[in-house]
Amino acid sequence: TREEILKAARRLFAERGYTRTRVRDIAEAAGVSAQTVYDSVGSKQALVARLNDLIDAEAGIATIVAAAAQSGDPMRVAALPAAIARAILEHCGDIIHALVTGAASEPDLEVARTEGQRRHVEGARMVVGALQQMRALDASVEPEAAVETISALADVQFALLLLEELARRTPGEIARIV
C-alpha cells in the first residue's frame, strides 16, 4: 500500500504540481482512503520527503553503484555520477522537473530538493574516496575540489536545464553549437 501511495503521489506531483495535488487525490489514485495515506505514509509533506528514496529505487541507483564498485575499474567508478544522473533523468525526469521548478515557491519541495542535492554531493565524495583507494586520483588534485567538480558536472538539475534548452533548439542550431 505504501508503495502504491508513493507512486500515485509521484505521478500526480509530476502531472499537476505539488500545490494542486491534494492528499484526497493521492488516495483516490492509489485506491485507498485519505486516512490510509495518513496512517501508512503521513502528510503530504511526508510524501515529498520520501520522493528521493522513490527516485533512487525507480532509477536503480543501488544496482548501478554495486556494479561500478564490483568492477574494480577506476574509469567505471569515475563515470558513476554521470551514470546515476542519466538513470535518474531517464526514469524520473518528470518528478525531478517538478521538484526543481516548484522548490522556489514550495518549502516542502525545497526540502526534498536539498536532500537530493545532499545525497548527490555525498555520492561524489564516495566516488572520490574510492578513486583515492584505487590510487586513481592524481595526487595534485585536492579531494574536495574533485568532489565539487564531479558534483557540478553530474548534477541532475544542470542536466535537466541542458536537456530543456536543447529541446527548444532546432537541429540546425544544435549543429552550429557543436
Side-chain angles (χ1 to χ4, degrees):
T1 301
R2 182 176 293 146
E3 188 174 323
E4 291 304 316
I5 291 168
L6 288 170
K7 285 181 179 181
R10 173 210 189 281
R11 189 179 80 256
L12 292 174
F13 290 157
E15 288 173 3
R16 301 178 182 177
Y18 178 77
T19 306
R20 292 188 307 273
T21 302
R22 301 172 303 167
V23 170
R24 189 175 330 150
D25 300 329
I26 295 166
E28 186 177 305
V32 300
S33 70
Q35 189 59 50
T36 300
V37 172
Y38 288 112
D39 291 344
S40 64
V41 181
S43 65
K44 193 165 130 176
Q45 294 84 359
L47 285 164
V48 169
R50 294 176 186 241
L51 281 179
N52 284 305
D53 294 335
L54 183 69
I55 290 167
D56 288 353
E58 287 190 7
I61 303 304
T63 303
I64 295 168
V65 170
Q70 291 172 355
S71 76
D73 179 2
M75 292 299 284
R76 192 154 176 202
V77 171
L80 183 58
I84 290 171
R86 179 179 179 157
I88 288 172
L89 288 177
E90 285 178 353
H91 297 279
C92 307
D94 57 345
I95 196 63
I96 295 296
H97 184 268
L99 279 172
V100 170
T101 58
S105 61
E106 290 293 337
D108 297 333
L109 294 180
E110 177 57 22
V111 169
R113 190 201 64 75
T114 299
E115 171 59 15
Q117 188 65 23
R118 185 199 65 75
R119 291 179 184 196
H120 172 65
V121 172
E122 186 57 33
R125 190 165 278 112
M126 291 170 54
V127 165
V128 169
L131 292 173
Q132 285 178 301
Q133 287 182 341
M134 300 168 121
R135 301 196 188 288
L137 187 67
D138 189 297
S140 68
V141 176
E142 285 290 323
E144 198 53 35
V147 169
E148 290 172 6
T149 300
I150 290 169
S151 296
L153 292 174
D155 185 87
V156 292
Q157 295 174 78
F158 180 61
L160 183 66
L161 179 69
L162 289 175
L163 288 172
E164 289 176 350
E165 179 61 28
L166 284 175
R168 286 192 283 269
R169 299 201 179 240
T170 66
E173 289 173 320
I174 294 170
R176 281 192 298 276
I177 292 170
V178 178

